[in-house]
């Protein structure tokens, strides 16, 4: 049980606390006091234990010794976990209904933490959500649902904001606005969890460093000599190497002269909201594309038309890998040529599976594994695990990995069959600097092998891939 | 219309009840080919209708929807579901005449009137598919002789049918061909292609008959599945309140207890569920279960008998004719029970605690599953059918209780299930009252005390032997083995 906020100071935190978070994860002894209105950056690499630390603060796991001060009623949390849980609840609640037109409206999700309409509408506007209030929450894009969580947390009267990688899924402009908003937050405590040291927000005044499950440092930012730690933590690990081999393919060969994707006069609307109209796009083999556009500009819909995950692929003039959609082809005939990473896929990857099997599933375009992989496929999986530096933990459950490690695995899953078309929708979300560099290197290597055409969506100017020369900007 | 089952000779009744065979994956090698290029028209766009249609279209088949003209004109949810997903939607007159395969995915209650409207519109030699055979077997609906009549019944809610398909898998599915309506002998080929189109062939398909499906489905849903869980929830909750446990805690223990307990059942049958208890608790649960089986056996037999004679469906259909008066009154009553009205507390309950403090709940699941299975097989239903309609589905119903308790369970299950659950609950609650009077919180709510920790070796050996040698365990092991072999490494 976690004690309420320390009555003497109003602080939250740990004193000599040891917490058994999971059977194999003991934290502590932890000593960390967070005084009211402090602004903390909690920084560490993917899988360092940042989220675990905050979970322990929130009373998860079993406290073995020491004290923990925390008051859940005073906290507003924004995290991928919360986002996932809300969307999953909606999915269950609205069984059998069309997600694009039915479900809990955004306004109700916003009001769940605070009924203060004036505050809410202020943040709705500042985060660019105006006009979305009446739409079903689950019809929004990943970036927009993230903004809804941010808006309701900011508008609430909770004295503690916990923002776990809030930038995930936000476009550059929205991220900038968020930091402007946080700049103005004075009378409450903020905990910002991030793997990105390079972008230290100006409003931060305290820092906690997490590495390998330990709180390495915590204290005021001013005068903290943490550079050596950071340098060591963030050093590019020695993971350079070759791209693992591709398995021999028994797929029907594609016609080299035909485009991979041919869209003509695409029109997609949900209710009254037009997402794409009179839109043409042709993707030739070997022609790599970067797609840009703000949250809600229709990127996800566009990619789902290609992957067959949008029902509108059947109502439009669309040819993918030579199949005119809706003429008797199955979705699995399409998917066999595609590797995909997106936030939607990440959320959908809910089955309990080992890291190894997550990679195996890339050969079968499935979530979970339902077919026996060949020996050659197993060896390729081994090579990828090695390349990712995850071979030692290959049997561990996927859903207990950090968000960053999960993302890294899903990227490798998409690449593993070296597909004709690789669709990477914000692949680097949640990845720290060394892992971003690894992913960008892998993309370059795949492109160099000339068997794969890449569609790449990124909000982050740092994550440019040099070999991609075509740009599609959606507005 | 006369009850179809009752019109059969005993010889035919037994033959159809005994139809049940697990099909090998090789039988589905041609996938959906038999239906390629044919026009599929689905009647109804609720959970099963929409999600099966999405899967069939993604498998390369040509799918459209038909709804009552009023549903289209008023843009009801079913219309929005179909239209919003880019399907062609039209009235019966517009869509049915062009259909090679008509999939009737409306609720049972509407079948008679729907069939009366669409049958004259269907083109010659087309095929009519059901997901549940109630209309054919219990209402005795006769279908035009030139039409093929089949059944494809995924054994999961519609959303799961879709979710599993998107993952690249499927849900276990039962198929059947109506012997009276297979004029060209193509019923099986159509049913196999349809099952493959929904992804069911990846998770295992059971070849059944309309009769076997209906009789076993009715029995399972009204006894162990919905009936036992409803009755058990109310009894267990009230017992804990009587003994002074905190109501919020009691509510939570029951609401999530079924789900946690039956998760163990899903993976390893009754044996594994019982193995999750300590040895003394296991012996206690075994004794409770034996006592309840003895009390409830006549009730299970009465349910089975009424299902076989048609007395059950007759009673239900008169309530339908009375605008569900009995059912709706009871549904409202359920909403007012203490269990239903008590909000679960925010206490964390550890997974093992649900077993340790829910010994009686474990015993109820064991008694209900075994009795339903024994009664079904004694009535001529094959062990495979009996397994799917009892043990296999308990976790699915337990999930609905975990989501939103009994009121929700009763609103989401089929109308036949809810009516059956109503009958069961009315009989079983008073039946178990005297038995419950003798129980205390050691079996529900608190768990065994330190004084109850010893066991006698011979007793334990005998109890384990009884649990493991029950016939539901043997068939369960085989069928779960198929599933695991298909699921390979999940």
């Amino acid at each position: 049980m976690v004690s309420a906020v320390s009555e003497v100071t109003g602080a939250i935190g740990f004193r000599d606390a040891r917490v058994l978070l999971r059977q194999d994860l003991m934290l502590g002894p932890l000593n960390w006091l967070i005084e009211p209105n402090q602004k903390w950056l909690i920084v560490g690499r993917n899988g360092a234990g940042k989220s675990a630390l905050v979970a322990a603060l929130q009373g998860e796991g079993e406290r073995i010794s020491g004290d923990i001060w925390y008051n859940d009623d005073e906290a507003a949390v924004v995290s991928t976990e919360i986002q996932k849980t809300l969307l999953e609840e909606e999915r269950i609640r609205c069984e059998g209904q069309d997600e694009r037109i039915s479900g809990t409206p955004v306004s109700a999700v916003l009001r769940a933490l605070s009924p203060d309409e004036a505050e809410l509408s202020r943040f709705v506007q500042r985060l660019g959500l105006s006009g979305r209030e009446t739409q079903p929450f689950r019809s929004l894009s990943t970036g927009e649902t993230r903004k809804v969580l941010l808006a309701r947390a900011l508008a609430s009267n909770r004295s503690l904001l916990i923002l776990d990688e809030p930038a995930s899924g936000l476009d550059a402009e929205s991220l900038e606005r968020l930091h402007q908003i946080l700049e103005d937050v004075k009378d409450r405590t903020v905990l910002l969890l991030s793997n990105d040291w390079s972008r230290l927000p100006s409003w931060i005044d305290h820092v906690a460093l997490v590495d390998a499950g330990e709180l390495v440092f915590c204290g005021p930012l001013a005068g903290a000599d943490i550079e050596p730690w950071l340098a060591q933590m963030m050093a590019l690990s020695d993971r350079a190497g070759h791209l693992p081999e591709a398995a021999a393919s028994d797929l029907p060969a594609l016609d080299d002269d035909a485009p991979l994707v041919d869209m003509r006069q695409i029109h997609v609307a949900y209710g009254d909201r037009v997402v794409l109209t009179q839109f043409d796009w042709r993707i030739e083999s070997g022609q790599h594309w970067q797609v840009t556009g703000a949250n809600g500009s229709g990127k996800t819909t566009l990619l789902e038309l290609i992957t067959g995950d949008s029902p509108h692929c059947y109502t439009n003039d669309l040819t993918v890998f030579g199949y005119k959609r809706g003429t008797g082809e199955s979705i699995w005939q399409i998917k066999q040529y595609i590797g995909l990473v997106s936030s939607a896929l990440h959320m959908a990857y809910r089955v309990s599976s080992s890291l190894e099997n997550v990679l195996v599933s890339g050969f079968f375009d499935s979530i979970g594994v339902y077919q026996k992989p060949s020996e050659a496929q197993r060896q390729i999986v081994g090579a990828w695990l090695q390349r990712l530096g995850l071979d030692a933990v290959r049997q561990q459950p996927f859903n207990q990995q950090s968000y960053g490690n999960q993302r890294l695995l899903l990227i490798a899953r998409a690449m593993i069959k070296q597909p004709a078309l690789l669709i990477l929708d914000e692949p680097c979300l949640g990845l720290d600097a060394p892992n971003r560099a690894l992913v960008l290197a892998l993309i370059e290597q795949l492109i160099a092998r000339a068997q794969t055409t890449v569609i790449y969506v990124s909000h982050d100017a740092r994550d440019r891939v040099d070999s991609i020369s075509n740009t599609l900007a959606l507005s | 219309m006369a009850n179809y089952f009752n019109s059969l000779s005993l010889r035919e009744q037994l033959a159809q009840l005994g139809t049940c065979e697990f099909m090998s994956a090789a039988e589905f090698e041609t996938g959906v080919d038999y239906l390629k290029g044919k026009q599929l028209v689905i009647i109804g766009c609720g959970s099963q209708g929409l999600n099966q249609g999405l899967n069939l279209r993604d498998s390369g088949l040509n799918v459209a929807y038909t709804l009552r003209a009023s549903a289209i004109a008023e843009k009801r949810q079913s219309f929005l579901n179909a239209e919003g997903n880019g399907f062609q939607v039209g009235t019966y007159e517009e869509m049915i005449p062009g259909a090679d395969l008509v999939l009737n995915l409306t609720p049972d209650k509407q079948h008679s009137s729907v069939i009366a409207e669409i049958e004259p519109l269907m083109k010659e030699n087309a095929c009519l598919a059901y997901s549940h055979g109630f209309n054919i077997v219990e209402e005795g609906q006769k279908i035009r002789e030139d039409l093929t009549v089949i059944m494809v019944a995924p054994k999961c809610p519609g959303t799961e049918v879709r979710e599993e398909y998107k993952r690249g898998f499927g849900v276990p599915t039962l198929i059947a061909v109506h012997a009276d309506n297979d004029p060209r002998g193509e019923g099986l080929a159509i049913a196999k292609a349809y099952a493959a189109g929904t992804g069911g062939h990846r998770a295992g398909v059971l070849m059944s008959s309309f009769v076997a499906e209906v009789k076993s489905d009715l029995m399972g849903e009204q006894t162990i599945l919905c009936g036992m869980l409803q009755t058990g929830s109310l009894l267990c909750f009230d017992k804990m309140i009587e003994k002074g446990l905190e109501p919020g805690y009691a509510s939570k223990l029951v609401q999530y207890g079924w789900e946690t307990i039956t998760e163990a059942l899903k993976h390893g049958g009754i044996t594994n569920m019982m193995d999750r208890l300590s040895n003394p608790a296991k012996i206690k649960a075994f004794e409770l279960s034996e006592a309840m089986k003895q009390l409830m056996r006549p009730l299970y037999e009465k349910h089975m008998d009424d299902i076989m004679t048609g007395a059950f469906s007759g009673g239900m259909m008169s309530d339908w004719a009375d605008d569900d008066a009995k059912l709706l009154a009871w549904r409202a009553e359920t909403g007012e029970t203490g269990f239903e009205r008590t909000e679960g507390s925010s206490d964390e309950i550890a997974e093992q605690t649900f077993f340790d403090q829910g010994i009686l709940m474990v015993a109820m699941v064991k008694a209900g599953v075994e009795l339903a299975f024994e009664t079904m097989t004694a009535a001529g239903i094959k062990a495979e059918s009996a397994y799917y309609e009892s043990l296999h589905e308990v976790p699915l119903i337990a999930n609905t209780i975990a989501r939103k308790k009994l009121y929700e369970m009763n609103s989401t299950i089929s109308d036949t299930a809810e009516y059956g659950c109503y009958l069961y609950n009315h009989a079983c609650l008073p039946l178990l009252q005297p038995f419950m009077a003798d129980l205390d919180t050691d079996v529900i709510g608190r768990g065994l005390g330190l004084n109850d920790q010893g066991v006698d070796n011979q007793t334990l050996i005998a109890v384990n032997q009884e649990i493991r040698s029950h016939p539901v365990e043997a068939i369960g092991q085989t069928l779960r083995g198929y599933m695991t072999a298909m699921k390979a490494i999940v």
Side-chain angles (χ1 to χ4, degrees), chain B residues 95-117:
Chain B
M95 305 305 293
I96 298 289
D100 300 295
L101 172 60
V102 174
L103 292 76
N104 176 15
L105 296 176
T106 58
D108 289 323
K109 197 189 298 181
Q110 295 172 17
H111 283 189
S112 298
S113 61
V114 166
I115 298 296
E117 282 188 63

Side-chain angles (χ1 to χ4, degrees), chain A residues 57-71:
Chain A
L57 178 65
Q58 290 174 296
E60 264 181 48
E62 188 183 346
R63 184 175 53 108
I64 305 296
S65 61
D67 298 306
I68 305 176
W69 299 291
Y70 179 76
N71 182 354

Side-chain angles (χ1 to χ4, degrees), chain A residues 126-148:
Chain A
R126 286 190 73 177
L127 286 167
L129 282 171
S130 302
R132 294 280 189 266
E133 290 96 327
T134 55
Q135 286 176 21
F137 177 64
R138 59 188 185 145
S139 74
L140 301 187
S141 72
T142 315
E144 287 172 323
T145 50
R146 176 52 63 111
K147 286 185 194 172
V148 171

Side-chain angles (χ1 to χ4, degrees), chain A residues 82 304 375 389 441:
Chain A
I82 303 253
E304 285 182 350
E375 195 42 46

Side-chain angles (χ1 to χ4, degrees), chain B residues 60-77:
Chain B
L61 298 176
N62 202 352
V63 179
Y65 284 81
T66 186
L67 303 170
R68 285 183 196 280
S70 56
I72 298 173
E74 293 163 22
K75 291 193 189 284
R76 290 199 203 131
Q77 187 64 47

Side-chain angles (χ1 to χ4, degrees), chain A residues 14 17 25-32 42-45 47-53 208-218 229 233:
Chain A
F14 304 94
L25 185 57
M26 173 73 92
L27 299 178
L30 299 165
N31 279 294
W32 181 21
I42 296 131
V43 68
R45 288 212 50 190
K50 302 181 292 290
S51 301
L53 189 66
L209 236 66
V210 188
D211 192 27
E214 288 191 34
L215 190 56
V216 181
F217 171 86
C218 59
W229 277 108
M233 248 167 58

Side-chain angles (χ1 to χ4, degrees), chain B residues 297-310:
Chain B
R297 188 176 299 279
L299 176 64
Y300 278 65
E301 286 170 352
K302 176 172 176 8
H303 274 265
M304 190 78 260
D305 293 347
D306 286 349
I307 288 167
M308 287 297 185
T309 59

Side-chain angles (χ1 to χ4, degrees), chain A residues 91-102 308-309 311-312 314-315 325 327-333 348 350-353 357 360 365-373 378, chain B residues 36 45-47 50-51 54 57-61 77 80-81 83-87 157-160 162-169 202 347 403-404 412 485-490:
Chain A
R91 191 181 72 78
I92 291 167
R93 189 177 306 127
C94 306
E95 161 165 346
Q97 297 166 17
D98 186 338
E99 64 180 287
R100 292 173 175 88
I101 45 183
S102 64
D309 293 320
H312 294 278
Y314 295 105
T315 57
R325 293 310 318 272
T327 58
E329 77 294 342
S330 91
I331 199 169
W332 307 108
Q333 285 172 298
R350 284 190 300 264
V351 293
S352 71
S353 211
N357 279 335
V360 169
D365 312 308
S366 57
I367 291 179
V369 176
Y370 313 102
Q371 293 169 69
K372 235 183 167 52
R378 282 203 172 283
Chain B
K36 271 273 170 78
C45 196
S47 177
L50 173 63
N51 289 301
L54 288 168
R57 179 171 66 178
D58 277 346
S59 295
L61 298 176
Q77 187 64 47
L80 298 176
N81 283 347
E83 162 125 297
N85 281 289
F87 287 106
T159 40
E160 282 308 301
R162 180 64 180 156
E163 284 302 305
E164 287 294 335
Y165 182 90
K166 288 203 289 190
R167 285 175 191 154
F169 198 51
R202 301 201 192 95
D347 299 316
R403 272 181 219 160
K404 287 184 189 168
T412 49
M486 291 195 168
K487 247 181 165 162
I489 349 156
V490 180

